Amino acid sequence: MHKALHRVRSAREATEGKEQHAMRADVEGAISQAVRAFGLRRCCYRGIDKTRLQHTLTAISIACTDVWLTGTPHASS
């Protein structure tokens, strides 16, 4: 167990491991922000279908807000 732990820790210290850890930290930070800002741990509805709908609408709202704040142009037709 100690050898396996040591191997994982040394791999994490390598450049490739640091890049992978940074990407994971970004994703976990985004999830944490969504949980705190939009209350994704609590749902107003009962049932998996309504819960999924609430989470989907929240995700769309976050995406639209991101586009608006960053000034990303809409797709041209």
Side-chain angles (χ1 to χ4, degrees):
M1 185 95 145
H2 177 70
K3 288 179 182 180
L5 184 59
H6 182 67
R7 187 173 51 245
V8 169
R9 285 183 180 163
S10 63
R12 188 172 53 198
E13 294 300 319
T15 306
E16 197 175 292
K18 286 183 181 182
E19 290 173 2
Q20 196 174 34
H21 182 70
M23 187 174 17
R24 179 179 173 180
D26 288 343
V27 170
E28 288 185 5
I31 291 171
S32 175
Q33 184 178 9
V35 167
R36 286 182 281 123
F38 299 100
L40 290 182
R41 289 195 199 269
R42 306 255 178 195
C43 185
C44 325
Y45 307 106
R46 288 185 177 200
I48 192 72
D49 293 332
K50 291 180 182 178
T51 302
R52 184 178 296 130
L53 176 64
Q54 179 184 349
H55 288 176
T56 302
L57 293 176
T58 302
I60 291 170
S61 174
I62 292 170
C64 290
T65 302
D66 177 56
V67 166
W68 179 69
L69 289 175
T70 60
T72 305
H74 296 285
S76 59
S77 53

